Amino acid sequence: MLTKSIATLAAALTGAVFFGGAALAQSADCGAIQQTLKTRQELVAKANAASQSKKKMTPQEACALFGKLQSNGAEGVKWITANKEWCSIPDSFAEGFKADHVKVSGIRTKICTVAAQASKMEAQARAQAAAGGGQGPGGLLGGPGLSGSFKMPQGAL
């Protein structure tokens, strides 16, 4: 739906060039959103490709991607709000773009919370491993714990 809306808006903004001298001055400002929409389309394509890929994004990578998408959306909402009347942007497009931006913001908050928790847990595991497992020489279950090291017994088996 977002791609269809972007194409419709791009066609409407491009059509403004043919309506005379006043529209030419207007079209320079109205065409400014096209780069933002193109960037947004590329970011959405990356997110879709990652969700369908066998190799999944880490929470940190997803947080960064959705951070860029949210930043792009904030820029787009700001531009649409400032130029909606002048550039004759349809209400349906403006409302859809804003709703999409709110949805992306919510997803980003959730993803970045998970990323922060994962980073915290990884740091705790590294600190615990560096401190000898935190459970004394035997570790939590009598072994080396999360250090990842396991010594093979020496001698004849």
Side-chain angles (χ1 to χ4, degrees):
M1 179 175 160
L2 180 63
T3 305
K4 184 177 178 183
S5 297
I6 291 171
T8 303
L9 181 64
L13 293 176
T14 305
V17 175
F18 300 112
F19 293 111
L24 287 175
Q26 175 183 337
S27 68
D29 293 333
C30 293
I33 190 69
Q34 290 195 23
Q35 183 59 41
T36 301
L37 295 176
K38 181 181 175 190
T39 302
R40 186 169 193 80
Q41 195 172 20
E42 291 168 357
L43 291 170
V44 168
K46 282 182 186 178
N48 288 337
S51 71
Q52 296 171 358
S53 173
K54 288 184 180 182
K55 181 187 176 284
K56 299 296 181 191
M57 283 186 176
T58 66
Q60 292 80 6
E61 292 170 337
C63 178
L65 178 65
F66 275 86
K68 290 177 186 176
L69 196 56
Q70 182 184 19
S71 175
N72 175 277
E75 181 182 321
V77 167
K78 181 179 175 183
W79 188 92
I80 289 168
T81 302
N83 297 291
K84 184 178 180 302
E85 296 300 320
W86 180 256
C87 296
S88 301
I89 296 173
D91 288 337
S92 61
F93 178 81
E95 291 168 8
F97 193 93
K98 288 177 185 176
D100 185 55
H101 176 62
V102 169
K103 185 177 178 181
V104 166
S105 296
I107 292 170
R108 180 190 175 269
T109 300
K110 291 176 185 177
I111 289 174
C112 290
T113 300
V114 169
Q117 290 173 344
S119 294
K120 182 179 176 182
M121 290 172 56
E122 289 171 3
Q124 287 175 342
R126 281 192 295 275
Q128 190 175 18
Q135 298 291 324
L140 182 62
L141 300 174
L146 294 174
S147 68
S149 63
F150 185 77
K151 295 183 181 181
M152 293 296 292
Q154 299 298 314
L157 294 176

